[in-house]
Amino acid sequence: MMKPEDMFANMQHDPDDPSPWHALYLDQSTPIRPSAKTLWLTNSSSNSRQFVLPFARVFSKVLIVIFQVIKALSPIDWRASRLLHQLIYWGLKYFVKKEANYLILRHFWLGSEILAFVGGNVPGVKVPMNPLRPKNLEDLKNHLFLTHDLNLFNFVINLNKELREKGLKIKPLEAPDFSMLTEGEFDIEMPKDGFFNFIDLETAIELYTPVYQFFLTDNDFWRATNSLQLDETIGVYAATILNSHQHLVLVNNKHPLVSLITLSAGFRLVLHGLSTEMGHWFLVMKKLEQREKMKSA
């Protein structure tokens, strides 16, 4: 069976009918790990994304509005994190494509390592970390999605409390510590596809957004949505340490002080995932550059 990377690499170029996926595969203007890019394009070019996503996006927005009204009027505490993560696990395992599942598992590792890079490169500050490294879909049931959102806010709060208390600032470093960054592939089991595993990454995210909303409190869902605003915040931290502010062009969820409404949460979550992929690979390339400079010195 042809591998996805072979499919894109061996595409024949027809000037009268060029493939957008071939163009994106060959393009090197933005940093992203080649293996992750192949998985991303495999999902983007799927029939599910073309024919199911448009309906899923409309359906999701309608449910979000309905659930928003219900929660605003109801005195019930809707939090059911254990059931939520069980449903997410079940849906991903039996209905979502293996490439999408792998990208989801990768995201937790990427986010943990980016936070570790920032926390480890601010002299005089020690920020408690809670790295998330799921090896398979089963690990997601341990409240990983909710914990991921909490980690982002707790990191920003703990880091800046120490900076304020100690009168410190994040500053550029001549030789940043990149030791926490994984250069190769993560220790993740590639999920398997069954007969019904046809849903792509973006469609899955759109369908799960109202589910996420329903099984959490209104406050939990708003906090999760607002966590996407922290992409630029973390990007500024990393760019300052590297003295490389062109890094910020990779950030899509910008303007952290302008919180967006929840209707766009699904699409912004996809942007968050892509920004994280590109941000991590940018750091890895900086790590490799530093190593080459040390060898030639």
Side-chain angles (χ1 to χ4, degrees):
M1 181 180 295
M2 181 180 291
K3 296 180 179 179
E5 57 268 28
D6 295 333
M7 177 182 69
F8 293 116
N10 297 326
M11 278 184 174
Q12 296 299 312
H13 173 50
D14 180 357
D16 294 324
D17 185 22
S19 167
W21 316 117
H22 192 201
L24 292 172
Y25 176 79
L26 294 175
D27 173 60
Q28 301 180 55
S29 62
T30 53
I32 184 170
R33 186 183 295 271
S35 59
K37 185 177 187 179
T38 298
L39 294 174
W40 196 279
L41 291 177
T42 301
N43 262 266
S44 297
S45 59
S46 68
N47 289 331
S48 169
R49 186 181 184 277
Q50 181 177 359
F51 298 109
V52 182
L53 178 59
F55 298 98
R57 186 160 284 164
V58 174
F59 178 69
S60 171
K61 291 181 183 298
V62 171
L63 283 183
I64 287 174
V65 172
I66 293 173
F67 292 160
Q68 185 80 58
V69 173
I70 292 174
K71 286 175 175 288
L73 299 177
S74 173
I76 301 174
D77 183 349
W78 293 81
R79 186 185 288 111
S81 178
R82 185 176 300 278
L83 177 58
L84 167 65
H85 285 80
Q86 179 66 43
L87 289 172
I88 291 176
Y89 160 75
W90 180 78
L92 294 178
K93 181 177 180 179
Y94 293 108
F95 295 102
V96 177
K97 294 168 68 69
K98 63 181 180 181
E99 295 87 1
N101 285 330
Y102 189 81
L103 288 170
I104 290 170
L105 292 173
R106 274 177 55 81
H107 181 74
F108 295 100
W109 291 68
L110 297 170
S112 295
E113 290 195 355
I114 291 173
L115 293 184
F117 170 79
V118 175
N121 284 283
V122 183
V125 171
K126 187 172 179 60
V127 184
M129 305 298 294
N130 182 26
L132 303 177
R133 301 187 179 97
K135 294 188 175 183
N136 50 49
L137 293 176
E138 191 83 21
D139 289 343
L140 297 178
K141 292 193 289 185
N142 192 27
H143 308 276
L144 255 67
F145 288 92
L146 183 59
T147 304
H148 176 63
D149 297 332
L150 297 176
N151 279 353
L152 286 170
F153 284 109
N154 288 333
F155 178 83
V156 172
I157 291 171
N158 290 328
L159 171 63
N160 285 280
K161 282 180 65 177
E162 280 213 42
L163 290 174
R164 287 169 177 258
E165 291 170 1
K166 297 179 179 180
L168 300 173
K169 290 185 178 180
I170 300 175
K171 297 181 179 180
L173 299 180
E174 289 188 11
D177 178 14
F178 294 103
S179 61
M180 68 291 294
L181 299 171
T182 302
E183 298 172 36
E185 298 295 337
F186 297 119
D187 183 18
I188 299 174
E189 301 172 12
M190 172 58 85
K192 297 180 180 180
D193 277 347
F195 184 77
F196 294 105
N197 292 91
F198 72 97
I199 297 177
D200 66 281
L201 177 65
E202 289 185 62
T203 302
I205 289 175
E206 287 290 348
L207 292 175
Y208 269 116
T209 299
V211 176
Y212 199 85
Q213 176 192 23
F214 185 81
F215 286 101
L216 294 177
T217 64
D218 192 51
N219 180 65
D220 287 337
F221 185 60
W222 273 96
R223 183 182 61 235
T225 303
N226 289 337
S227 72
L228 302 172
Q229 301 295 119
L230 296 178
D231 281 0
E232 186 170 35
T233 302
I234 302 301
V236 168
Y237 296 163
T240 302
I241 292 168
L242 296 171
N243 196 24
S244 179
H245 285 275
Q246 67 267 28
H247 169 77
L248 296 178
V249 76
L250 308 178
V251 179
N252 296 295
N253 288 302
K254 296 187 176 183
H255 310 298
L257 294 180
V258 183
S259 300
L260 302 180
I261 62 174
T262 56
L263 284 180
S264 58
F267 177 66
R268 291 175 58 235
L269 184 54
V270 176
L271 295 180
H272 166 66
L274 183 58
S275 293
T276 304
E277 284 282 359
M278 293 193 296
H280 185 272
W281 188 238
F282 180 83
L283 294 177
V284 170
M285 289 195 298
K286 288 294 184 181
K287 177 180 181 178
L288 298 177
E289 287 177 14
Q290 184 189 75
R291 181 182 299 163
E292 288 301 315
K293 288 181 180 179
M294 293 175 65
K295 286 182 180 179
S296 59

